[in-house]
Amino acid sequence: MQLPATPPLDLTALFGGTRQRHWLEIGFGGGEHLVWQASHHPDVGLIGIEPFVNGVVSALGHIKTAGVANVRLWPEPAAALLDALPAGAFARVFVLFPDPWPKLRHHKRRFIQAANLDRLARLMAAGAELRVATDDPDYGHAILAGLLDHPGFAWLARRPADWRERPADWPPTRYEAKARAAGRNPMFLRFERRG
Ligand SMILES: C[S@@+](CC[C@H](N)C(=O)[O-])C[C@H]1O[C@@H](n2cnc3c(N)ncnc32)[C@H](O)[C@@H]1O
C-alpha cells in the first residue's frame, strides 16, 4: 500500500472495486485476528496496520495460508495512513492490546488518547463499532474515560459480562494468550460511533 499524492486514499480502488464495506485493525501484532476476520468476512476489505516488521512477516504467512485476498497492509506507524483515509469509510475498527506504556512519563505514547480518538471518530461511519482490548487496568480506565468523554462514541456494555468476556466473533490474539498465561484478565470494550 502507498499513500496517494492527493488524499484521501481511494478504498474502492485499493480493493479492486470488489468490497463494499471496510474494516481497520491498528497494531495487528502477528496478524492472527486480522486474517481470521478476513477469512470469516470475505465481503469486507480489511486494512491492517503494524510497524513491527516481524509482525508483518507473520501476517503475510497467515494471509498466504488462509488464501485471503481482502487484506491490505500498512507496515508503518498508524498516524500518516489514518490522516490519508477517507472520512466515514470504516464500519469496524479494532485496536487490540495497544502497548500500555505503564510509566507515567510514557503515557503520552499510548495510542488511545484524545488526538487518535478524534482520528478514529473521523474515519468511522455512524453506527460503526470500535473494539478495544487491554490487560492493563490503569490503561483500561484511561481508555474508558477517554471514550466516555468523547462525544463521538457510546459504550455498548450493558452488564459486566459485556466487557469481561470476549464475543464469539473476536478470536484471541497472541498478546491475550500471554496476558492470561501471566494471570491477567483482559477488558473487551466495544463502542458505537454515534450518528
Ligand atoms: C502489545 S502489542 C499487541 C499486538 C496484537 N494486537 C495482539 O493483541 O497480539 C501492540 C502492537 O501495537 C503496535 N504498534 C505500536 N505503535 C503503533 C503505531 N503507532 N501504529 C500502529 N501499531 C503500533 C506494536 O508494534 C505491537 O505489535
Side-chain angles (χ1 to χ4, degrees):
M1 262 178 79
Q2 286 190 328
L3 291 186
T6 320
L9 191 71
D10 182 345
L11 288 186
T12 306
L14 183 67
F15 289 94
T18 53
R19 303 298 189 293
Q20 303 304 319
R21 290 188 299 150
H22 300 101
W23 295 0
L24 178 67
E25 182 166 347
I26 300 169
F28 60 68
E32 298 88 353
H33 173 274
L34 178 72
V35 175
W36 188 96
Q37 294 293 357
S39 62
H40 285 75
H41 302 280
D43 59 317
V44 173
L46 278 115
I47 295 181
I49 303 178
E50 174 54 61
F52 182 50
V53 69
N54 289 4
V56 174
V57 171
S58 165
L60 289 171
H62 290 300
I63 289 169
K64 190 170 179 203
T65 304
V68 293
N70 54 335
V71 180
R72 301 291 181 272
L73 301 183
W74 177 251
E76 306 271 353
L81 177 64
L82 297 186
D83 290 342
L85 289 166
F90 291 90
R92 199 169 278 192
V93 176
F94 307 95
V95 187
L96 307 183
F97 300 96
D99 292 317
W101 296 108
K103 290 183 184 159
L104 189 59
R105 69 176 186 278
H106 292 152
H107 281 191
K108 56 183 179 293
R109 299 183 190 178
R110 287 175 165 176
F111 182 80
I112 300 287
Q113 51 172 298
N116 281 333
L117 291 183
D118 288 344
R119 283 190 166 107
L120 297 184
R122 185 187 76 81
L123 292 176
M124 294 171 66
E129 186 179 326
L130 170 64
R131 293 184 171 188
V132 184
T134 185
D135 63 324
D136 182 303
D138 174 66
Y139 194 15
H141 289 135
I143 290 169
L144 250 187
L147 277 146
L148 290 175
D149 206 34
H150 196 290
F153 294 98
W155 192 19
L156 290 169
R158 297 287 171 266
R159 56 200 176 105
D162 291 342
W163 58 268
R164 287 185 181 146
E165 292 167 20
R166 188 166 24 72
D169 65 344
W170 178 339
T173 65
R174 208 152 55 172
Y175 191 87
E176 180 189 330
K178 279 189 202 166
R180 290 196 187 280
R184 296 190 297 273
N185 291 320
M187 296 167 73
F188 302 97
L189 303 171
R190 296 169 55 239
F191 302 87
E192 183 179 276
R193 176 72 172 98
R194 292 182 197 271

